[in-house]
Amino acid sequence: MGPATDQWRQIVIFAALASIILGAVAAIGQTNIKRLLAYSSINNVGFALIGLAAGTPEGVSGVLMYLTIYVAMTLGSFLVVLQMRGDDGQPVETIDSLAGMSRTRPALAAALAIFMFSLAGIPPLFGFYAKFAVFSAAVDAGLFPLAVVGIAASVIGAYYYLRVVKTMYFDDPAPAFAPMESKVEGGLIAVAAVFVSPAGYLPHPRARRVDDGGRTGVVLSIIRTVAETGSTNADLLELARGGAEDGLWLRAVRQTAGRGRLGREWSSPEGNLYASTLVRLRPNDPPAASLALVAAVALQETVSTFLVAGICQGTTDASETLVLKWPNDLLLADAKLSGILLERADNAVIVGYGVNIAHHPDLPDRATTDLAAHGVLIDPAMFLDILADSFARWIGRWRTEGVAPVRERWVDCAHPAGTALTARLPDGSGIDGLFVGLDSDGALILRLASGERRVIHAADVFLL
């Protein structure tokens, strides 16, 4: 970036911080619902500016997504407020007047609750994905402190949004509002509530920016979910042979024949993530083996997002490290959190993920863990939504920029150079050495005691 870009970025960062802090703090003590929503608007403008401050295509995309969803949330909220009128027709604006509305006007209370939860950024409502988009763009652009401030402000905002929901559903009823007179306003409230709710996914297939033969295009992202199957990798291989398209994901709630590298069995109880995606190789793509790096950095990025949120909410220890270990492991606090398995048939590469979200197996040769054990509670389907978006971004960079930026990110997220490792080769032999890095195709480089550098393309690797 040039000097001019750096200058306007500083201005946007200042405006974002000022809006976020002012809106979050000023809204806390409000007793008037209109003023609360007004300060909330200031707060949300700051969130949108986070994406703009990133100065990247992902940031701009995040801003556009944020503004679209924000308009629906705010329009719906103010339309509900317009229905707050007494029997004399005069507006009623205090938050206390919403008390018990779940019993006097249940449909209106449900709609306002959806808007409040979405404004708070609570998944699976669309408000969560809007915030995730701008925060992710900021992190990718190196604006990690700005993203942390935004997440902290979201936690503060959750207080006053949830206070409105608590008043409607748990306080003794206040006098009922006058009946709704405008069917148009009622219809708009219903449409806005459906748009920001999980039902809004149905008419809006998710799309991703991908490289398409040298030009940027948009393809539909399809995630299929089945209750049970033997192996998502095996199923997706069959679908690939039948002509399935690039970008297809398959998730199973349970697997009965899950497997890891070298044919090992993978424990698959319900509550964890078992998913695979299809990558169709193109003539100018980098080496297929380097897709293991793409898969790893996308997973690390996704998990780190939830850990950062946990740190801000006080449920996760900031000292717990998240580290990539070659070739396909993600370690949390030195224990295995997940595994990745790549399989190929002709021009189709299947990337399979197994992530310990709610449970973890007890393995005799290594420590294991799960996200729930570290205070992160997340639905596997929601986790996959975010993982799929991250994977798509890194696939785009892999195809347009090559292996280098992916390898650089992998090394940044791995154990430091000089870490002592032992590699168990497929023939049963072992090699001990110090971690040097990765070669141009993503193979592991170890420095042996003799000073020799050994390049390893396949092995089980353990920390010494």
Side-chain angles (χ1 to χ4, degrees):
M1 292 188 179
T5 303
D6 291 338
Q7 290 174 6
W8 71 253
R9 169 180 273 184
Q10 296 304 315
I11 295 172
V12 174
I13 290 175
F14 175 79
L17 288 172
S19 298
I20 290 170
I21 295 172
L22 173 63
V25 173
I28 291 177
Q30 295 302 319
T31 58
N32 183 292
I33 186 66
K34 287 185 178 179
R35 284 201 296 269
L36 184 148
L37 291 174
Y39 283 116
S40 167
S41 297
I42 296 174
N43 184 242
N44 280 279
V45 167
F47 291 140
L49 288 175
I50 289 178
L52 185 61
T56 61
E58 290 79 9
V60 174
S61 176
V63 171
L64 294 176
M65 176 194 292
Y66 198 97
L67 292 177
T68 300
I69 296 171
Y70 170 72
V71 167
M73 296 186 297
T74 304
L75 174 64
S77 299
F78 274 104
L79 284 173
V80 171
V81 171
L82 289 177
Q83 309 310 312
M84 296 170 54
R85 294 182 177 275
D87 292 335
D88 58 0
Q90 295 300 311
V92 179
E93 300 180 359
T94 63
I95 294 176
D96 288 343
S97 65
L98 296 169
M101 193 167 76
S102 62
R103 281 161 278 180
T104 58
R105 297 286 294 276
L108 201 62
L112 186 56
I114 289 174
F115 299 135
M116 293 296 103
F117 283 129
S118 189
L119 283 166
I122 295 176
L125 301 175
F126 269 9
F128 168 79
Y129 294 101
K131 289 184 178 180
F132 176 81
V134 294
F135 294 158
S136 178
V139 171
D140 289 344
L143 302 178
F144 186 79
L146 182 60
V148 170
V149 171
I151 294 172
S154 294
V155 175
I156 296 173
Y159 163 74
Y160 50 79
Y161 293 129
L162 297 182
R163 180 164 62 98
V164 173
V165 177
K166 174 260 181 188
T167 300
M168 292 190 298
Y169 280 85
F170 297 101
D171 287 3
D172 293 331
F177 300 135
M180 186 181 301
E181 296 180 356
S182 172
K183 293 184 178 180
V184 174
E185 291 180 359
L188 289 174
I189 292 172
V191 170
V194 169
F195 180 84
V196 302
S197 74
Y201 290 97
L202 300 178
H204 298 284
R206 296 189 308 113
R208 300 191 183 102
R209 294 172 58 88
V210 297
D211 176 68
D212 186 14
R215 64 186 186 277
T216 299
V218 176
V219 297
L220 293 181
S221 169
I222 300 174
I223 298 178
R224 299 181 183 176
T225 299
V226 296
E228 183 175 284
T229 189
S231 163
T232 56
N233 262 33
D235 290 354
L236 205 51
L237 276 170
E238 287 300 316
L239 291 172
R241 294 186 180 102
E245 295 184 358
D246 187 34
L248 174 64
W249 284 83
L250 178 66
R251 181 179 80 89
V253 177
R254 296 177 302 278
Q255 285 189 140
T256 58
R259 62 189 191 278
R261 293 183 66 250
L262 306 178
R264 286 189 293 265
E265 180 182 355
W266 183 271
S267 177
S268 307
E270 184 173 347
N272 291 344
L273 176 70
Y274 318 109
S276 304
T277 187
L278 168 60
V279 178
R280 289 285 186 187
L281 297 176
R282 304 173 186 179
N284 296 323
D285 279 348
S290 60
L291 280 170
L293 305 184
V294 175
V297 298
L299 179 60
Q300 192 276 342
E301 181 178 82
T302 302
V303 174
S304 65
T305 300
F306 290 106
L307 289 178
V308 168
I311 291 169
C312 291
Q313 296 174 17
T315 59
T316 303
D317 185 351
S319 66
E320 294 174 341
T321 55
L322 191 65
V323 174
L324 290 172
K325 180 175 70 66
W326 194 91
N328 59 8
D329 284 348
L330 183 61
L331 306 182
L332 177 56
D334 295 327
K336 179 168 178 161
L337 180 68
S338 63
I340 301 169
L341 176 65
L342 273 68
E343 297 181 284
R344 180 174 178 176
D346 298 324
N347 74 331
V349 176
I350 308 301
V351 180
Y353 285 97
V355 184
N356 298 331
I357 292 181
H359 319 279
H360 64 270
D362 292 324
L363 301 179
D365 59 346
R366 69 196 73 189
T368 56
T369 189
D370 58 73
L371 289 176
H374 295 267
V376 177
L377 305 178
I378 183 70
D379 179 72
M382 187 180 307
F383 184 94
L384 178 56
D385 276 340
I386 298 171
L387 173 61
D389 288 338
S390 180
F391 187 84
R393 285 196 302 274
W394 282 104
I395 279 287
R397 296 195 65 181
W398 178 75
R399 282 182 164 146
T400 56
E401 303 175 46
V403 178
V406 183
R407 184 177 66 246
E408 180 180 352
R409 177 60 180 264
W410 192 98
V411 172
D412 287 343
C413 298
H415 37 70
T419 299
L421 302 175
T422 183
R424 297 177 186 171
L425 304 180
D427 63 5
S429 62
I431 298 176
D432 294 342
L434 301 181
F435 175 65
V436 174
L438 305 179
D439 73 1
S440 59
D441 293 332
L444 176 66
I445 304 175
L446 290 182
R447 186 172 72 250
L448 309 186
S450 64
E452 173 192 357
R453 289 194 174 195
R454 178 72 62 87
V455 178
I456 298 174
H457 295 276
D460 275 337
V461 176
F462 299 87
L463 300 176
L464 288 177

